[in-house]
Amino acid sequence: MAGDGGSLSLLKGTGTEGPKLSGLQVRGLRAGYGVMEVVHGVDLEVAPGELVALLGRNGAGKTTVLAATAGIRRGRNDGEVRLDGLALHERRPAQVAAAGLALVPEGRRIFTEMTVRENLRLGAFIRRRSAASEIEAGIGMMIDLFPPLGIYIHRKVGELSGGEQQMVAIAQALMARPRVLLLDEPTAGLAPLLAEELYSAAIALAGGGVGVLVVDQDMHRALEYSSRVYVMEAGKIALAGTSMELRSGSAVEKILRGIDR
Ligand code: ATP
């Protein structure tokens, strides 16, 4: 289980240069589809080493927030996205990924006709051209994180189970060594045990200093494993807090069930 401190140390004073920001900061994010705005000014932060959950009912805007943050939502209308202080909101998706912000979208967009190994190697080239030894070391790290990938390393991804494919998708994103990883419903459709394994891997990543923001439909699981939670309602953040403080009350459940508070 993740630590429950949940405190953010995003602002580190650096004298005349102004505050040095670390991790991901999203400010005033507005996004939508065509003329319809569905995300109405979202602020959120993910510090290095934090596992943060983004919850909300169907249609609340979670996927749109992740996509707009990663720059793949062309309908992003306004707002600021910064990674370690670097402004990413004007950049193209490939530049955002190269800067260290990775999105694993729902539905695992991986290459099913390619082997696990080929998929992982591709992931390494998103950020920059890496030396062969570096790629091999990265593949080794991914097998440590997700041991089944070692067994299936030469198999075509299309022949793997849904859970194994999800591991490949996350590992592929990690091969680019992101600073912050955005995971959109990584446990959707997975058996509970496998979902727990994925969370264990996410906690290990956070332990290694990566900031992780995960969208999950399962409130209890998200509150158990994350250190902080944001809850969206109708395109806005309706509630934010540490998982420990939110676990004990019914505030999250009320929003997710649409009960008036
Ligand atoms: P879910 O949990 O069901 O995936 P979500 O919280 O991720 O939902 P979004 O997928 O971000 O929510 O959708 C937010 C709103 O935007 C919804 O009203 C949805 O109908 C709308 N929407 C999503 N994708 C599109 C699209 N491609 N075109 C038009 N409207 C869209």
Side-chain angles (χ1 to χ4, degrees):
M1 200 180 291
D4 283 306
S7 64
L8 281 175
S9 54
L10 294 172
L11 296 171
K12 292 179 190 151
T14 56
T16 53
E17 299 159 24
K20 169 110 175 71
L21 300 166
S22 66
L24 173 70
Q25 287 88 38
V26 175
R27 293 276 174 268
L29 185 72
R30 294 179 175 275
Y33 302 90
V35 292
M36 187 177 64
E37 184 179 279
V38 299
V39 169
H40 313 293
V42 159
D43 294 345
L44 59 83
E45 294 164 351
V46 182
E50 261 198 317
L51 174 56
V52 181
L54 178 61
L55 306 179
R57 284 197 284 164
N58 289 335
K62 307 176 296 293
T63 294
T64 308
V65 164
L66 293 197
T69 300
I72 63 166
R73 177 69 249 130
R74 269 170 291 155
R76 183 169 58 206
N77 301 329
D78 203 3
E80 248 185 49
V81 176
R82 288 182 185 272
L83 186 67
D84 295 338
L86 183 72
L88 297 183
H89 41 274
E90 301 291 344
R91 300 188 180 215
R92 290 196 296 275
Q95 294 174 313
V96 171
L101 181 63
L103 167 66
V104 180
E106 199 184 352
R108 313 158 194 141
R109 291 187 201 140
I110 39 184
F111 298 93
T112 51
E113 282 305 308
M114 291 167 67
T115 67
V116 171
R117 186 180 163 76
E118 287 164 344
N119 268 280
L120 296 187
R121 284 179 60 82
L122 262 187
F125 290 104
I126 291 171
R127 191 158 189 181
R128 66 200 147 81
R129 292 213 151 260
S130 308
S133 60
E134 232 179 286
I135 295 175
E136 288 313 311
I139 291 174
M141 281 162 66
M142 291 308 113
I143 292 172
D144 285 345
L145 191 63
F146 299 116
L149 298 190
I151 302 167
Y152 302 125
I153 194 83
H154 297 300
R155 277 251 204 116
K156 279 189 183 171
V157 168
E159 296 168 7
L160 304 184
S161 73
E164 290 155 358
Q165 290 192 17
Q166 187 63 63
M167 291 177 194
V168 176
I170 296 173
Q172 188 188 59
L174 290 172
M175 286 294 290
R177 298 213 247 132
R179 303 269 301 132
V180 172
L181 182 65
L182 311 175
L183 298 174
D184 196 355
E185 299 203 30
T187 59
L190 299 190
L193 205 61
L194 208 48
E196 283 169 26
E197 277 177 32
L198 278 184
Y199 265 102
S200 300
I203 287 170
L205 283 175
V210 177
V212 183
L213 179 64
V214 61
V215 168
D216 199 332
Q217 288 291 348
D218 186 325
M219 164 192 114
H220 295 290
R221 193 167 54 211
L223 283 172
E224 183 185 346
Y225 287 101
S226 61
S227 55
R228 283 193 307 117
V229 171
Y230 293 100
V231 188
M232 283 190 75
E233 190 177 29
K236 293 181 178 166
I237 302 290
L239 185 67
T242 69
S243 303
M244 191 160 72
E245 70 197 18
L246 293 176
R247 235 179 258 148
S248 50
S250 57
V252 178
E253 198 160 13
K254 281 184 174 166
I255 295 172
L256 296 183
R257 288 193 177 177
I259 302 167
D260 284 335
R261 282 148 281 153

